[in-house]
């Protein structure tokens, strides 16, 4: 605990200065770029690369996962942050998959029951209002044999 407090005291002023100069989305993408260098890119590829059919991606954010779906996959990518969806829209044409972006929260998905062959959520459950409700919605929209 003492190490975490010391780290926070050391890092917080620099983080505040960075946030004052950049939007929260720019800060997010800066951090994600570093995480990609540390291996998160491979995690994204492994998570999305072998999925087929109709895939729901909850919390797509700025669309960093979209490049990792294979050709022929249909992806419905959701987020409730309009600015993030705007960035995802710029990335969507570079995806090998067919991508449809939708404004929705993970806790209230606007889709019928048993719609999707797979549901993906990378780094999203930590930022939803209710993890239990989000997971309940995922289960509801996922086909019985889905992944």
């Amino acid at each position: 605990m003492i190490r975490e407090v010391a780290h926070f005291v050391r890092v917080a002023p620099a983080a505040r200065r960075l946030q004052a100069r950049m939007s929260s989305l720019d800060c997010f993408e800066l951090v994600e770029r570093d995480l990609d260098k540390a291996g998160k890119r491979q995690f994204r590829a492994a998570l999305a690369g072998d999925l087929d059919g109709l895939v729901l991606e909850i919390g797509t954010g700025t669309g960093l996962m979209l490049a990792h779906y294979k050709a022929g996959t249909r992806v419905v990518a959701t987020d409730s942050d309009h600015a993030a969806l705007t960035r995802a829209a710029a990335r969507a044409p570079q995806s090998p998959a067919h991508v449809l972006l939708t404004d929705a929260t993970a806790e209230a998905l606007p889709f019928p029951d048993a719609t999707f062959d797979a549901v993906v959520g990378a780094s999203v459950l930590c930022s939803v209002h209710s993890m239990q409700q989000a997971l309940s919605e995922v289960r509801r929209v996922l086909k019985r044999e889905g992944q």
Side-chain angles (χ1 to χ4, degrees), residues 35 83 87 90 105 111 146:
L35 290 172
R87 291 192 188 193
T105 66
F111 310 108

Side-chain angles (χ1 to χ4, degrees), residues 14-65:
R16 278 196 299 273
R17 285 192 301 275
L18 185 63
Q19 288 173 332
R21 292 192 324 241
M22 302 174 80
S23 72
S24 60
L25 285 178
D26 288 336
C27 287
F28 168 79
E29 290 199 337
L30 180 66
V31 169
E32 287 295 313
R33 211 173 348 200
D34 286 344
L35 290 172
D36 278 352
K37 291 176 190 172
K40 191 168 183 183
R41 176 177 290 281
Q42 290 82 0
F43 167 76
R44 288 188 182 115
L47 188 60
D50 67 343
L51 299 176
D52 289 312
L54 183 59
V55 176
L56 173 65
E57 183 180 322
I58 59 170
T60 197
T62 61
L64 295 173
M65 283 282 293

Side-chain angles (χ1 to χ4, degrees), residues 61-145:
T62 61
L64 295 173
M65 283 282 293
L66 299 178
H68 300 287
Y69 295 101
K70 65 183 176 184
T73 305
R74 294 170 296 139
V75 178
V76 177
T78 65
D79 207 290
S80 60
D81 184 318
H82 297 112
L85 281 174
T86 299
R87 291 192 188 193
R91 286 190 167 103
Q94 285 80 44
S95 176
H98 173 75
V99 177
L100 173 67
L101 297 169
T102 304
D103 182 353
T105 66
E107 298 96 335
L109 296 170
F111 310 108
D113 296 357
T115 298
F116 295 95
D117 299 300
V119 178
V120 174
S123 304
V124 65
L125 291 178
C126 59
S127 59
V128 298
H129 295 290
S130 169
M131 187 184 308
Q132 182 176 358
Q133 181 60 33
L135 291 172
S136 177
E137 281 291 278
V138 165
R139 184 175 187 188
R140 181 183 67 76
V141 300
L142 185 62
K143 290 179 181 176
R144 178 180 286 279
E145 66 281 356

